[in-house]
Every structure is written in C-alpha cells, then in structure tokens.
Amino acid sequence: MMDSPIFGRLTFDDIAPLAVFRNFSLNELVASGAGWLEVFAAVGVVAALTYFRLWGPLWREWLTSQDHKKIGIMYMVLGFVMMARGVAEGVIMRGHLATALDGGILAPEHFAELFSTHGTIMIFFVAMPFITGFMNFLIPLQIGSRDMAFPLMNQISLGMTAAGAMLLLVSLVVGQFETGGWAAYPPFTGAAFQPGVGPDYWIWAIVVSGFGSMLSGINFAVTIYKMRAPGMTYMRMPVFCWTALCTAILLAFAMPPLTVAALMQALDRYLDFHFFTNDLGGNMMNYANLFWMFGHPEVYILILPAYGIYSELTATYSAKTLYGYTSLVLATMCIAVMSFTVWVHHFFTMGNSATVNVAFGIATMLIAIPTGVKMYVWLATLYRGRIRMTVPMIYLGGFMVLFVLGGLSGIILANPTINYQVHNTQFIVAHFHNVILPGVVFATLAGIHMWFPKAFGYRLEEGPARLSAILWIVGFSATFLPLYVVGLLGYPRRSASYTDPVFEPYMIFTALGSLLILAAFATFAWVFWVSWRNRAALAVPLGDPWDGRTLEWATPAPVPEYNFAVIPVIGTREPFAVEKASGRPYVRPDEYEDIRLPAPSGVGFVLCVCAGVFGFAMTWWIWWLAAISLVAIPTVLVVRSFFPDRMVTIPADEVRRDTEAWLRAIDAASGVDRGEELTSANRGFARTDLKEAA
Amino acid sequence: MTDAATNLHPGLNLGPSHGEAHEEAEVVTFGFWVFLMSDLVTFGLFFATFATMWGSTAGGPGPDEIVNLGSIAGQTTLLLASTLTFGFASIAMKYHDAPGRIAMWLGVTALLGAGFVALEVKDFIHMAEIGAVPQRSGYLSAFWSLVGLHGLHVSMGIVFVGVMVLQIYLLGMTSRVKSRLLRLALYWHFLDIVWVGIMSGVFLAGAL
C-alpha cells in the first residue's frame, strides 16, 4: 500500500460525514448524521465563545489554571460532554435492537462500532473523569490543604484525559472506530482481522488517557499522604478521602496493565510482533489477563469514590454521624486489596482449569462481604436520622435498592457453573449496567447536587432535579432490568440482530426505557440552565447550605482560590459539625499571612495538544507528525524545568478583607431551619440542630 | 544524623540541614517512589509475559541461541559500576556540595550507562543478523520488548543525567536541582535492580 508521505494513510474518503452523499441509506444517515452533529456542535461552541468574547477568560481562568477546584470542574464538564454522546449511542443501539428481528436499521458493522465507542466512552471518558473530578475538587478541601501535591502534574493529567477523549470524538468524523468492544480483544482487533484505523484510535486514546490517570493516582495518593492539615490523622479523614486514597492506589497500580496491554497490541499491529496473534507463538490469553488485571480493579476505581459520596451524603442529609466509621474504612481497604484478586472471573469460560475458576469464583464472592458492610453502615446511619428527602437522598434510595440487585446478580455470575450458562448474554449487560448506573452515575449526579453550591455559589433547582432523579431511576429500571430475563433466555450480548420473535417485546420495552434515560439526561442539563438563570435567588455565598459536617463546608461558596484563609488545625473527625454542635463555628483567625499559589501555566494545555496530535498521527501513520509531537512532550518538560516555578502571592490584607467580610455576613445572617432549606431564604448559613458528633 | 528530623524522606537527604527545602523534597521524593512502584508493575507485567512466552519460539531461535553470557557479564559490570559512581555523586552532593565533583561523577555514570547501551545494541544487531528478530516468534517479541524497555529506560536516564549536569552549571546547586538529583539517583538505582531481574530471569535462565 502506498501512503502519502505527508498525510499517511489519511485520504479524502475517510471523512465519514460525507459518506452519506456517496451511498445513501438509513444506516449511513445515522452514522453521517452523528458526525455532522458533532461538527456542528464544535462549530457552535467556537462561535459562541467568539461571540461572547470568552476565549480570553477561558484561557486565563480555566485552561491555564493549576487550581485543583477548577481542574476538577473541567473534568466534570468533560464527563458531561462525553456522556451526551454515550447516552445518544445507547439510545440508538436500543432503537436498532427494537427493530432487529431479522435485521434492523443499522448495519452490523455500524452496531459493533457503536457498542465499542459506547463502552470506551462511558468507562474512560465519562465515569473516569467524573470520579477524578470529584477527587480533584474534594480531596484538598476535605483534608485542609491549599492544593494538590503536584498542581502542574494535575493539569497535565487533565490534558492527557482530554486528549484521549478528543481522539474518540475525532474517530466519529475521520475514519472509524474499532468493532471489538471496549476491551478490544485481539486477535480480532489485530492487523490480520482489522487492518483499518479503528483499533489504533482505541490504542492511542487508551494509552494517552491511561497515562494521565496513572499520574492522577500518584498525585491523589501523595496529596492524601503528605498534604493533610495538622491534626488530620488518617482516622479523622472524611470517608470520601479514604475511598479516594484506595482509588488512588488502584489507579497507580492498575493503570499500567492497561497501558502495557494496549502498547503490546500496538507492537503487534505496527511492527508485526507476536504477543497476541494467532500465529508464531502469539497468545491472546495474555491479553485477557493483562486487560482484566486492569479491568477488574477499574470497577472499584469507579465505585469506591461513589461509596465515598454516598457516605458523605448519608450522614449530611440524615444529620447523624456516620455509623461505623472504622468498619467502613476497613471495608474500603478490603475491597481495594481484593479487587486485584478476581480478574479471571471475566473469562471463566476461556479454558482455565476448574481449580483456577473456583479460586477466582470464591475470591469474587468474598467481595460481597465488605460491600455488604457498607450497605448496613448506610442503613444504620439513616436509622432514626432526621432525614430530608432531597435530590441526593432520592438517588441514594434508588442506589440502595438497585445496587443490591446488581450486586446479587454479580454473586450469581461469580459462580463459574452459572457463569458458563449466562456467559456473553444480555444477563452480563444487565449486571454491569445495574452496578455502574446506580453505583457510579447516581452517585455522580447526587454528588453534583450536593457540592455544586460549594463550587459555584448557588444551589441547583430542586424541582427539575427531582424529576431528573426519578426519571433516571425509572429509566434505568425499564431499560436494563428486563435484560436479565432476555439474557436467561439466551440472547447473546453484542449481537446486532436476532431471529426468535420472543425477544422483540423486551427489546421494544427497553428501547422505550432508554428514551426515559435520554429524558433524564436532558432534564439534568436543563437543571443547570434554569439554576443558572435563577442563580441570584439560589445563591448561598455563606457556604453551608446543607448543614454540612466536614471541613469543606466551613469555607465561603464559591471557595476562594486559596481554599482556607488559615490552614485549620484539626482535633476531631467531623470538625465543622463538632464546632457547630458546641456553638463555636467560624473561628476568626488571629493573624493572616501572604499566600503563595502556583501561577497559571500553559504546560498542561500544550501537552494535551501534543498528546492528541501524537495519537492522531500514529493512528493515520503520519510518521513525521508523530515524531515531532512525541519529541515535543519531553522537550517541553525539560525546557520548563530550567525555569523557576512562577508563583502568585495573595497579600495577607486581601485574605483578611475577604475573610472578615464573609464572617461579618455570617454574623449578620439569621440562619435557616431545615424546613426552609430549599427556599431562597437559604443563603448558605444553616441553623444547625446537630447534637451529637464524633 | 539518621533520626526523623534530619532524614525526613526516604533516600539520601540533600545536606546537613535544609529546613523548608527538606520538607518540599519529602513530598516530591515520596511521589517519585510511588511512580517507581507503578513503573515496577509495568516491568513486572513484561516479565510475566516473557515467562509465559518462554516456550513460544514457533521453531525460531530459542534462549540458548541468543544469550551471549560474555556480553551480559560486560553489561552487568558496566551498569553495576554506574550505580556505584552515581553513589559517589550523591555523597559528593551531601557532604561536599562541590558542583564540579558531582558533575564529574555524573559524567562517569552516563559514560558507563552509554557503554551498557552500546553493548546491548551490539547484541541486538547480532540477534537481527541470525534472524532472531521480534517478528519471528512470540518468545522473541517478549524478549525484545522486556530487554528493550529496560534499555530505553537507561537511555532516557542518560539524557536526564545530561540535563542535570547542565542544570548544575546553569542553575547552581539549588535545592530544586538537588532534589532532582535525588530522584534521578532513585531512578538509576531502580534500573539496576530491574537489570538484576533481567540478568537472572532472562539471560542466566536462558543459558542454563
């Protein structure tokens, strides 16, 4: 094959949205239409930024910021943008399956591409940015630190994740994605069976973003180990920090297997190595092991921070100290360790000995024990609590019922004999959506509702948010619970069509369910819009709208750049709750000092561009561009290392002025009771009725 | 000198007393340790893959044909010697604060490292000549990538040593430069440990 020295194997014909003009069909219309939609959305964003003159503020205040809170918010925005695409793909797939008796509206290849991008996007570019966003925003605030341990590296991690997401978005418009699922199993994704660019898009999106996640893990772990405020001992940390610490360790140690698996696959595809090929001694079981050595801990990378969020909101919205803090911490650590011991359950049917299967089956079932501990801890916390059924608690209710169901189906799957029966059926699809949606997505949405006021200074509208929460719960149940039945009836997953008419009513039902999920997502987007419009009435500048318990609520909202005017000294587990219960919250600092923070830097953005260009160039065999961008990455870092870190100093007087103004406003405020919590009387100064605190 | 107050972070400290700089080094050094542990996982996975592919020679050259113990002895000597000379550089940094002496030992370290890489490349060229290329079999793919990954790490280390010598002269022995030297030292010794694994698990096992 002759490739252009300038454009590699990229040709004009690879521009996917143009395909519909060459070869019109419903399938092409959906594929090209999605491409056009993405292009229009991108053009729309650029136009809006230009029209409202937002490029300057975007660059100065966001893209170059090293502030962990802003980086966390940018992670969340990335997650939402990618979720829009992921949800749309899910609806299209369900729509296709509703029509798929003996065919369907989409071509089988197109369907395969859809479930591959849907899985890759939802795991790596929705769930991962969401949990990373929460950890970025919350960890330093909860442990009483001014920032992460490595603010610049934090920015670089975000850049790497964004670059991977960009590659995925580009794959819709230029060329196409792979068809081997989110796990991209070779040899099917090897050069022999998929010579095109699809698997290469996957490889570089994964390698680039995986490296970012590994760096994030190191950053979070070091932040929690080394940056805690004086007196913040490990057993005084909020539970979210515990889950974040365990997640950070998992990130640092479970991301390398993914990167290694993807790079070995790249060696197979680009240089004709034989790690996973069918011939010359290749062994694809090595891939299954490497991938799931990442893939299983990944499940807990996603769910542990969600557990942390649920723990925080359970205590806050039932106005009780979390029951069984120590057992919750121990359960978290148990889960983190055990998550590394179960990966083979993802391929029970691929020819392991019975002994191996039994060992991994038992290890898998054992994880239910610490998970059960957590469930009981939350229940015991709710027991006799003064519960307010606000949005986060609605999500918690949905989570507790549905997640237990998902966990129980996991126990069923952990039994190798049953696993043989339902392996690779829709039962699996039902199971993992049943844990990831109520687990991770509900926690994210509940967490956003809880901490949004902290980040932006105003609450989210309660009414539409409640509607969204209920739509999520009902929509999830309608879409995925029937799939357990379909799976037991033997309908294989990833199958683009079926011949047995018994499946059709189920498929139509779940397609309608997916429309409810679409409505839930749209409603949540609408919540942001109406809340922004109504932000004056919803403002909570005093910073504590929910009668919070942990350190982050003892700051103004939005939190100033430096987090704390004076680094607090911690003496108890829930310092803010204890201060409020004893009647002495908001202690005035005796003296203020100048605060030094890292100055804005473009390094993260430059590396994001370099990494994204590198991935694109490698995918399309544009070797000169790949070489330049690859060399540019270390060059930027080395050159920068010759210059001192630029810092900005916030003068003590400014800190004093802002803090005193905030404290005076609190003194003047009368506070709100629980009954008025959702009215505009709530300015962020909750009148506490906390009596007991640890 | 070894109580907690004078030796905050794991690794050789920067000098007799450094106050705040010491505390800063504590965080970055700890972070670098976590990175090295993560990197160790990467090497471990390449080791594991190599172990499972031990017999996957597909009729091509096997361990006995590609292992040149003479060259391996030379490479091992050079690399172990380089870790000793880096130790001299660290000691010079801690006790003498003499930029010239530190740079000299770093230069010797880089030269020994370059000698190691040169011998390795020579072995690789010989392997290519007898047809033992990574494209030949799964075993050879795993061999080249494991040994090559280590070689790549050493080559990057040599570049970093060059950068640090430049920084010593351009920036002086600031606590940032010292802290970077501390981390480079960890990196260099870490590669030595990995090499001991490769020497035993790949080459000695292959020669038996």
Side-chain angles (χ1 to χ4, degrees), chain B residues 45-141:
Chain B
L45 295 165
F46 275 94
F47 267 111
T49 306
F50 178 79
T52 61
M53 293 216 149
W54 185 257
S56 308
T57 51
D64 42 339
E65 283 158 81
I66 58 175
V67 175
N68 174 359
L69 274 189
S71 172
I72 297 307
Q75 289 173 42
T76 308
T77 312
L78 287 172
L79 203 61
L80 292 189
S82 79
T83 221
L84 181 71
T85 55
F86 207 127
F88 288 144
S90 298
I91 290 171
M93 179 172 85
K94 182 176 176 183
Y95 292 108
H96 304 291
D97 208 5
R101 197 187 302 191
I102 301 169
M104 187 268 286
W105 282 121
L106 285 179
V108 175
T109 306
L111 278 178
L112 291 168
F116 167 84
V117 174
L119 278 184
E120 188 160 75
V121 169
K122 194 163 152 267
D123 281 357
F124 275 156
I125 291 173
H126 173 71
M127 281 175 67
E129 280 167 0
I130 62 166
V133 289
Q135 288 79 7
R136 179 62 190 80
S137 71
Y139 167 76
L140 286 166
S141 297

Side-chain angles (χ1 to χ4, degrees), chain A residues 565-690:
Chain A
V566 171
I567 294 293
V569 178
I570 311 300
T572 51
R573 188 170 288 159
E574 292 179 308
F576 191 45
V578 172
E579 283 171 11
K580 285 195 283 191
S582 60
R584 283 180 287 98
Y586 306 110
V587 186
R588 283 191 156 65
D590 297 328
E591 52 185 301
Y592 297 86
E593 286 177 355
D594 290 353
I595 295 174
R596 280 163 63 76
L597 293 171
S601 161
V603 171
F605 185 80
V606 170
L607 292 191
C608 169
V609 172
C610 291
V613 168
F614 171 72
F616 185 79
M618 286 301 288
T619 301
W620 289 97
W621 299 357
I622 309 172
W623 307 121
W624 62 273
L625 190 57
I628 291 175
S629 49
L630 184 63
V631 171
I633 293 173
T635 308
V636 168
L637 291 171
V638 165
V639 168
R640 191 194 168 277
S641 74
F642 279 86
F643 297 94
D645 287 332
R646 286 185 306 120
M647 306 291 274
V648 279
T649 303
I650 299 169
D653 285 341
E654 192 186 323
V655 180
R656 176 197 311 276
R657 198 183 59 226
D658 293 349
T659 311
E660 297 285 333
W662 171 59
L663 289 172
R664 272 196 305 276
I666 286 178
D667 288 341
S670 58
V672 287
D673 288 323
R674 308 235 149 175
E676 303 164 297
E677 193 176 59
L678 303 176
T679 67
S680 57
N682 186 355
R683 309 304 286 174
F685 181 47
R687 192 178 294 147
T688 188
D689 58 353
L690 300 176

Side-chain angles (χ1 to χ4, degrees), chain B residues 11-14 32 36 77-96 98 101-114 153-154 156-165 168 173 177-192:
Chain B
L12 198 63
N13 52 20
L14 305 182
F32 200 74
L36 286 183
T77 312
L78 287 172
L79 203 61
L80 292 189
S82 79
T83 221
L84 181 71
T85 55
F86 207 127
F88 288 144
S90 298
I91 290 171
M93 179 172 85
K94 182 176 176 183
Y95 292 108
H96 304 291
R101 197 187 302 191
I102 301 169
M104 187 268 286
W105 282 121
L106 285 179
V108 175
T109 306
L111 278 178
L112 291 168
H153 270 73
V154 175
M156 279 170 12
I158 294 169
V159 175
F160 289 153
V161 170
V163 170
M164 287 319 298
V165 170
I168 290 173
M173 293 304 293
V177 169
K178 284 183 172 186
S179 153
R180 282 184 186 141
L181 281 171
L182 189 73
R183 279 173 277 160
L184 182 56
L186 291 179
Y187 179 82
W188 199 269
H189 300 315
F190 167 78
L191 290 183
D192 238 39

